[in-house]
Amino acid sequence: MEPNALFECFSAMSCIVTQTSAGLIVGALLFLVAGGLTLIFGVLKIVNFAHGSLYMLGAYLALSAFRLTDNFFIAVIIAGLGVALFGVLFERFLMRRVYNADVLMQLLVCYAVVLIMDDAVKIIWGAEFQSMGMPTEFQLAPLFIAGGVVPVFYLFLISAAGVIAVALWYVLTRTRMGKIVRAAAHNPSMTSVLGLNTSLIYAGVFAIGGLLAGLAGGLAAPVRSMSSGMGFSILIESFIVTVIGGMGSVMGALVGALLIGLVRSFGSIGFPLFVEGLMFLAMVLILVFKPSGLLGKETRI
């Protein structure tokens, strides 16, 4: 442990800026993945253990699209839409059959999909590590803010995640579709009685969750190496974010993701061998003092 190094970092504005920007990009990617995960849980009350594989699929789809088009923005859009379509197929042909089944059955179905997708990635893209590299548009000199170094791509990624977060908040809180989704989450039986197609709602929720995971994978492609099984680590972190923010709370996922991103960034300076432990420690502390999560609703018996 190097607490002195962490203290020195907090005393230097350049270090604060650099580590904060690094933490924010981690938080931005975690929010996109955890936001879809918590949205699916909030409506369907199912923990999608295969959600990390959707992130992996988005990264590889973006890689292939980028090699074909040489345009990063098109590649990210294709990744998002492609994973959204996969999410619909995943819900319609697999998850729909286990909605009322035991949690263990749901877990087995998701785990089977994870294994299948990992092997599919090896067959289609190869087992070796791959990287997109930084797109030409972002091969620019970094910005210097208060002495801290902030790559241009970091600002783009943080801004893109912010725009997506605002758009998601607007759709869920200010549109008719958002009201229907929230009604289905609160009382699916009554929603069905009112004549709304709950099957279509569930498929749409999976599509949105897949879209967010696909966008996260595409946006992360330039700064993350890709390999089969890469979705597992971000899945674990996304679960931590979801628990911290509150199961079913999208805005809680945003707060939890930013918190974990900053914990990882600054923790790597003061506690380089205990970064993973810090995330779990933060989760434990929050659950001790607020079991429902930061923005989760208290459960009354």
Side-chain angles (χ1 to χ4, degrees):
M1 296 185 181
E2 301 176 11
N4 290 334
L6 182 61
F7 177 77
E8 292 176 1
C9 179
F10 278 119
S11 63
M13 184 58 66
S14 59
C15 182
I16 293 176
V17 171
T18 300
Q19 294 305 121
T20 298
S21 65
L24 287 179
I25 68 161
V26 174
L29 293 175
L30 281 177
F31 164 70
L32 293 179
V33 179
L37 182 67
T38 195
L39 180 64
I40 291 173
F41 175 83
V43 177
L44 282 74
K45 301 300 183 288
I46 285 180
V47 180
N48 180 17
F49 291 95
H51 204 69
S53 294
L54 302 185
Y55 164 82
M56 176 184 68
L57 179 61
Y60 276 101
L61 287 178
L63 176 64
S64 296
F66 181 74
R67 289 173 175 174
L68 290 174
T69 65
D70 197 32
N71 187 305
F72 175 68
F73 303 104
I74 293 177
V76 172
I77 294 173
I78 290 176
L81 295 178
V83 179
L85 176 60
F86 179 86
V88 172
L89 298 176
F90 175 49
E91 188 275 338
R92 180 168 293 272
F93 293 104
L94 292 177
M95 294 308 297
R96 181 172 297 186
R97 302 178 183 278
V98 295
Y99 281 155
N100 299 318
D102 186 80
V103 174
L104 180 60
M105 181 62 69
Q106 298 172 1
L107 173 60
L108 289 174
V109 170
C110 291
Y111 187 58
V113 171
V114 170
L115 296 179
I116 293 171
M117 291 185 66
D118 285 350
D119 285 346
V121 163
K122 294 177 183 178
I123 294 172
I124 299 173
W125 287 281
E128 66 279 358
F129 283 85
Q130 299 194 47
S131 176
M132 175 185 291
M134 188 59 62
T136 306
E137 298 88 344
F138 299 104
Q139 293 180 6
L140 305 171
L143 301 178
F144 292 90
I145 303 175
V149 180
V150 181
V152 175
F153 184 74
Y154 281 23
L155 293 179
F156 166 76
L157 197 156
I158 295 169
S159 300
V163 170
I164 294 171
V166 171
L168 183 62
W169 169 82
Y170 181 82
V171 169
L172 291 177
T173 61
R174 295 292 186 270
T175 66
R176 182 175 183 273
M177 183 177 71
K179 293 178 181 178
I180 292 174
V181 169
R182 286 185 286 121
H186 181 70
N187 194 330
S189 300
M190 182 59 68
T191 304
S192 179
V193 169
L194 292 175
L196 297 173
N197 190 334
T198 53
S199 296
L200 185 61
I201 295 172
Y202 292 168
V205 169
F206 258 91
I208 296 174
L211 175 67
L212 294 175
L215 290 175
L219 290 170
V223 291
R224 296 281 182 92
S225 59
M226 287 170 262
S227 65
S228 174
M230 64 180 287
F232 180 74
S233 60
I234 198 166
L235 176 65
I236 297 300
E237 294 178 4
S238 297
F239 276 132
I240 296 175
V241 166
T242 302
V243 171
I244 287 176
M247 296 295 287
S249 172
V250 176
M251 289 301 105
L254 175 60
V255 175
L258 295 178
L259 175 62
I260 290 299
L262 294 174
V263 167
R264 285 188 63 91
S265 180
F266 286 99
S268 63
I269 295 179
F271 308 92
L273 301 179
F274 193 62
V275 177
E276 303 295 329
L278 285 176
M279 294 192 303
F280 285 99
L281 181 60
M283 180 183 72
V284 169
L285 290 176
I286 289 174
L287 288 180
V288 167
F289 293 102
K290 198 174 189 301
S292 62
L294 294 175
L295 298 181
K297 295 181 179 180
E298 298 287 348
T299 301
R300 295 184 179 180
I301 301 177

